[in-house]
């Protein structure tokens, strides 16, 4: 379709490529190379920040340690609020990594001019811009809350499906499918939509006008990361809730 | 350009048909999941564990130090109270001692004064007695002299023979 576009279009930086992927072939499998490239960047960023923060641990933190401690306290509070004081500690790495990965991914997509780096096909964007990433994260969340429920309550976890009344069993089973679906599509949709809106606006008016939308995109990105991590923690906490003991 | 934008939706639909598209699930999904799990493990080792421990240790340290400080404060307050009490007791004791000493001194002084007065009285009395005695003696000797003199007068007047 873009071939139809006038040469004028190629003079401009702004160009929209949706649904095109930079395929890598690994054995018989195809993967989206652009997603991995940017996700490696995000992972490297996280790892380097962590290494810098923990390189020289001090009782009185400063600089990077202080910043990363702030981040850690933030995700700890998030997990604590959703899962509860007693059980939250083992889940901090999962929930925290969800938040940090999504947050850094989204902001890298919103702040870094990925599109300027040319790759053979498709374009670089936030890793969360790809449905595969968000579904992977959502499925991991499902696995996590199943694991949490089963390890805490054993098979009694499934007994909770019939509470408060057995009429709700089909709904509860349905919920197990809608949870990852809504998680992944919410994140995917928001990030992609934001990128598209910015792209379209840049296409129409390349100067200044897209800025407010970009700022809004930063806000949305942060909120989406927070929502994903909070919901994941809430699902885990809900799965571990022991109704017999709490009443 | 505007045409491009309008045609965007159509383009997307076309791409999906062509095998790419927005909802193109492939091996990216499991690999991304695997990568994410590895990221969790790595971050757990280099971020959550060490930094979490640092935070917990700091919390412990702060709590302990605070507790210690509070203990010390209580102890120092107790000590201060004790000193205050001891000071009060000592002050009372000192006042007692002073009062006692003053009373004793007064007593001694009174006693001394009384003694001195007594002595003075005694001395006056003895002096009086001496005076009395000496007057008596003087009177007695005067009486003797009276006898003598009257005798001599008599002798002179009537002659020695008559007198004896």
């Amino acid at each position: 379709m873009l071939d139809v576009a006038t040469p004028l279009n190629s003079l401009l930086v702004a160009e929209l490529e949706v649904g095109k992927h930079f395929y890598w072939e690994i054995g018989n499998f195809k993967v989206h190379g652009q997603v991995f490239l940017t996700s490696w960047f995000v992972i490297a960023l996280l790892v380097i920040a962590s290494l810098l923060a923990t390189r020289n641990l001090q009782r009185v933190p400063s600089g990077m340690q202080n910043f990363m401690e702030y981040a850690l306290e933030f995700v700890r509070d998030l997990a604590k609020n959703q899962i509860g004081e007693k059980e939250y500690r083992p889940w901090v790495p999962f929930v925290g990594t969800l938040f940090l990965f999504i947050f850094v991914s989204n902001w890298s997509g919103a702040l870094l001019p990925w599109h300027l780096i040319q790759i053979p096909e498709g374009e670089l964007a936030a890793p969360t811009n790809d449905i595969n990433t968000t579904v992977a994260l959502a499925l991991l969340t499902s696995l996590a809350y199943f694991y949490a429920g089963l390890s805490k309550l054993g098979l009694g976890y499934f007994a909770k499906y019939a509470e408060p009344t057995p009429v709700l069993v089909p709904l509860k089973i349905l919920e197990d499918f809608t949870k990852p679906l809504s998680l992944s599509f919410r994140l995917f949709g928001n990030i992609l939509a934001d990128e598209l809106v910015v792209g379209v606006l840049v296409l129409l008016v390349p100067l200044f006008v897209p800025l407010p939308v970009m700022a809004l995109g930063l806000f949305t990105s942060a909120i989406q990361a927070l929502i994903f991590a909070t919901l994941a923690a809430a699902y885990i906490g809900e799965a571990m809730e022991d109704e017999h003991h709490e009443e | 350009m505007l045409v491009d934008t309008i045609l965007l939706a159509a383009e997307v639909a076309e791409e999906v048909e062509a095998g790419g598209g927005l909802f193109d699930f492939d091996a990216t999904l499991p690999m991304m999941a695997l990568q994410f799990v590895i990221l969790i493990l790595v971050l757990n080792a280099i971020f959550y564990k060490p930094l979490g421990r640092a935070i917990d240790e700091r919390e412990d340290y702060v709590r302990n130090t605070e507790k210690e400080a509070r203990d010390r404060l209580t102890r120092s307050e107790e000590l201060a109270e004790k000193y205050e009490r001891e000071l009060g007791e000592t002050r009372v004791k000192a006042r007692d001692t002073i009062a006692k000493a003053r009373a004793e001194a007064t007593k001694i002084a009174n006693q001394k004064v009384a003694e001195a007065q007594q002595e003075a009285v005694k001395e006056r009395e003895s002096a009086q007695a001496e005076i009395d005695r000496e007057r008596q003696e003087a009177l007695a000797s005067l009486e003797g002299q009276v006898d003598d003199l009257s005798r001599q007068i008599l002798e002179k007047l009537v002659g020695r023979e008559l007198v004896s």
Side-chain angles (χ1 to χ4, degrees), chain A residues 26-40:
Chain A
I26 301 171
N28 289 327
F29 301 109
K30 278 182 166 181
V31 298
H32 297 169
Q34 85 275 16
V35 180
F36 280 103
L37 286 176
T38 45
S39 73
W40 290 339

Side-chain angles (χ1 to χ4, degrees), chain A residues 51-130:
Chain A
L51 287 178
L52 281 180
T54 55
R55 190 184 40 179
N56 179 21
L57 285 176
Q58 309 248 301
R59 183 175 286 152
V60 180
S62 61
M64 204 59 193
Q65 189 190 344
N66 208 355
F67 177 71
M68 289 307 271
E69 274 191 19
Y70 171 71
L72 180 55
E73 300 243 359
F74 179 77
V75 293
R76 263 190 176 184
D77 280 349
L78 200 158
K80 199 194 290 180
N81 285 338
Q82 300 300 328
I83 302 178
E85 184 80 55
K86 234 180 3 183
E87 314 270 4
Y88 81 97
R89 268 174 190 269
W91 293 102
V92 169
F94 181 70
V95 175
T97 312
L98 270 180
F99 176 76
L100 291 177
F101 181 74
I102 296 173
F103 181 74
V104 177
S105 293
N106 292 350
W107 270 37
S108 81
L111 288 176
L112 298 176
W114 285 122
H115 308 285
L116 294 184
I117 303 170
Q118 293 290 324
I119 56 173
E121 206 183 350
E123 58 186 6
L124 292 176
T128 39
N129 199 1
D130 191 286

Side-chain angles (χ1 to χ4, degrees), chain B residues 8-37:
Chain B
L8 194 77
E11 176 195 330
V12 170
E14 199 171 289
E15 295 289 348
V16 172
E17 276 165 28
L22 282 176
F23 302 100
D24 180 28
F25 290 104
D26 53 18
T28 311
L29 198 162
M31 280 187 64
M32 187 55 85
L34 188 71
Q35 187 176 285
F36 187 75
V37 170

